[in-house]
Amino acid sequence: MLKQQTTPLQAIKHPLFKVHKIRVFVKREDLNNKEIQGNKLYKLDLNLKEHLKYNKKFLLTFGGAYSNHIAATAAACQQLNIPVIAVIRGNELANNLHKWSHTLLNAKRLGMEFIFVSRADYLLKQSAQFIYKLLTDYASQLNPELKQQLQDAWRHKQITLLPEGGSNDLAVQGFASLTAEIENQCANWTDLFCAVGTGATLAGLVANSRYQNQRTLHGVTVLNKADYLLPQIQEWISANRQYPTLNAWQLHHDSHAGGYAKTDAELSHFVDTIWPKITAETAIQLDPIYTSKAFHCFWKKLKNQEIKRGSTVILLHSGGLQGSSKNA
Ligand SMILES: *Cc1c(COP(=O)(O)O)cnc(C)c1O
């Protein structure tokens, strides 16, 4: 529905890969849709199908001012003609257009409407009280007609609530088409690396990938102290698994470089010096928050002899380049 092309599985080269007798590919999901780009496309796919099937009136979702999920949702809803309102963390942004990120400006251009809420209220966004306050007080940021339509839609249960990051069971199930595409392109892969924010993408890849004896999926956390993600990831996998036997999978906590959006000398060295050599022929750009950490983790494991000889490794490029673009 949203995917514009089968994305390339691109071979990358480095002398060290030869030494260790491994093959390495990048799955270029940064190219799956010009505007949506990346893993968010899969997380949205079934959620938006469901929204259309039940003829809901509004999609309501949540995020920060630089969120890739907000960017992707705005683009997807524009492409499918779905009215969408985003609840954005930080009420200092309301009526303050000159403080808006390029993510918000671009989403607005695509037709997304916004309600800005205080950081304190944002923390309570799962609660019934919050929704009440949102639809009464905060919704006054919308034009009066839209506010009324939103309240009516809520009363008639015609709003789809999509959590922050777009992560839920339908999001997890949405990765079935990606794992099938990867299987077609490379049936004998042994290791797959992806970045982990909420872990819904990792869960989707684990739940939907065909079992093979030697396979391991590697989720690389981009947050510090992200152990708390584990129970939710396990729950997503067991609720949505497609095969009786699961592939091995692991969370790696050694590559977040200090935490979300942080970097350190080792990561910078990888991004500025090593990766450009590996990708000299293909020039694959990485984002600083997610893909650079996931790919760096692979590199460290290779150097530590933790990738077996003969392995076929896939690095999932999950997009995120909108967040690092410097324009506007
Ligand atoms: C959101 C995002 C992730 C994290 O996805 P989760 O499903 O939340 O783990 C990874 N990479 C990029 C580029 C993202 O935008």
Side-chain angles (χ1 to χ4, degrees):
M1 181 167 72
L2 296 167
K3 188 141 165 164
Q4 290 169 335
Q5 62 156 333
T6 300
T7 56
L9 186 71
Q10 235 160 30
I12 54 173
K13 299 196 178 95
H14 190 278
L16 206 56
F17 301 169
K18 272 206 182 128
V19 173
H20 289 261
K21 298 212 173 355
I22 64 167
R23 298 189 303 154
V24 187
F25 297 92
V26 178
K27 179 59 175 163
R28 297 292 308 274
E29 287 305 315
D30 53 319
L31 303 176
N32 59 20
N33 179 304
K34 212 161 179 287
E35 299 259 16
I36 301 171
Q37 201 206 91
N39 62 334
K40 302 303 185 288
L41 179 144
Y42 295 94
K43 299 170 90 171
L44 287 164
D45 192 45
L46 299 181
N47 277 296
L48 298 187
K49 273 185 188 145
E50 185 109 331
H51 177 93
L52 293 170
K53 181 171 150 199
Y54 291 106
N55 222 348
K56 299 279 182 85
K57 291 273 188 296
F58 290 99
L59 190 87
L60 190 65
T61 195
F62 306 84
Y66 295 88
S67 157
N68 293 330
H69 165 67
I70 294 297
T73 305
C77 287
Q78 193 250 358
Q79 289 175 23
L80 299 174
N81 235 328
I82 295 172
V84 55
I85 299 173
V87 177
I88 304 292
R89 185 193 324 118
N91 50 356
E92 72 280 3
L93 294 167
N95 307 317
N96 231 340
L97 216 70
H98 67 280
K99 281 195 182 160
W100 284 26
S101 61
H102 64 88
T103 303
L104 294 183
L105 292 169
N106 200 38
K108 182 181 164 65
R109 179 182 65 77
L110 294 168
M112 186 176 251
E113 299 274 352
F114 301 105
I115 302 177
F116 298 94
V117 305
S118 71
R119 278 147 214 278
D121 282 337
Y122 190 84
L123 288 175
L124 308 172
K125 62 186 178 302
Q126 312 282 11
S127 72
Q129 294 99 305
F130 173 79
I131 294 289
Y132 180 77
K133 187 169 177 185
L134 185 74
L135 294 174
T136 52
D137 299 356
Y138 276 129
S140 302
Q141 292 173 28
L142 305 171
N143 76 49
E145 196 186 342
L146 185 58
K147 178 180 175 183
Q148 187 63 51
Q149 287 172 357
L150 190 65
Q151 290 179 342
D152 291 346
W154 182 258
R155 214 168 293 123
H156 296 108
K157 298 191 165 32
Q158 289 174 323
I159 295 181
T160 299
L161 278 181
L162 192 60
E164 185 175 46
S167 299
N168 58 16
D169 284 322
L170 285 176
V172 172
Q173 291 163 27
F175 285 93
S177 59
L178 177 57
T179 53
E181 189 173 300
I182 292 173
E183 201 72 27
N184 273 335
Q185 290 175 317
C186 181
N188 61 355
W189 64 268
T190 56
D191 296 84
L192 193 158
F193 283 78
C194 73
V196 168
T198 64
T201 300
L202 173 67
L205 296 168
V206 173
N208 293 299
S209 61
R210 185 170 313 189
Y211 174 74
Q212 277 184 25
N213 196 10
Q214 298 294 334
R215 271 188 178 168
T216 306
L217 294 98
H218 305 265
V220 181
T221 59
V222 305
L223 297 143
N224 196 3
K225 302 201 174 73
D227 280 320
Y228 68 91
L229 295 173
L230 202 57
Q232 174 69 82
I233 295 174
Q234 282 164 336
E235 198 176 308
W236 275 326
I237 292 171
S238 58
N240 299 295
R241 55 191 289 177
Q242 297 297 309
Y243 296 100
T245 309
L246 288 176
N247 287 307
W249 62 277
Q250 299 171 3
L251 273 185
H252 299 298
H253 297 282
D254 59 354
S255 299
H256 56 68
Y260 187 78
K262 297 265 167 60
T263 189
D264 60 16
E266 216 191 336
L267 178 61
S268 303
H269 179 68
F270 172 73
V271 170
D272 297 337
T273 310
I274 298 167
W275 182 252
K277 277 185 201 138
I278 294 178
T279 191
E281 285 172 27
T282 37
I284 302 170
Q285 210 192 326
L286 302 182
D287 81 295
I289 316 266
Y290 293 104
T291 50
S292 49
K293 291 181 180 178
F295 294 15
H296 182 219
C297 182
F298 153 71
W299 179 254
K300 288 195 293 188
K301 300 241 168 292
L302 179 63
K303 294 191 73 164
N304 292 341
Q305 325 272 351
E306 291 173 53
I307 308 281
K308 282 203 200 95
R309 277 175 167 261
S311 298
T312 298
V313 179
I314 295 178
L315 308 176
L316 176 67
H317 196 314
S318 47
L321 300 172
Q322 72 84 27
S324 49
S325 82
K326 292 193 178 59
N327 49 16

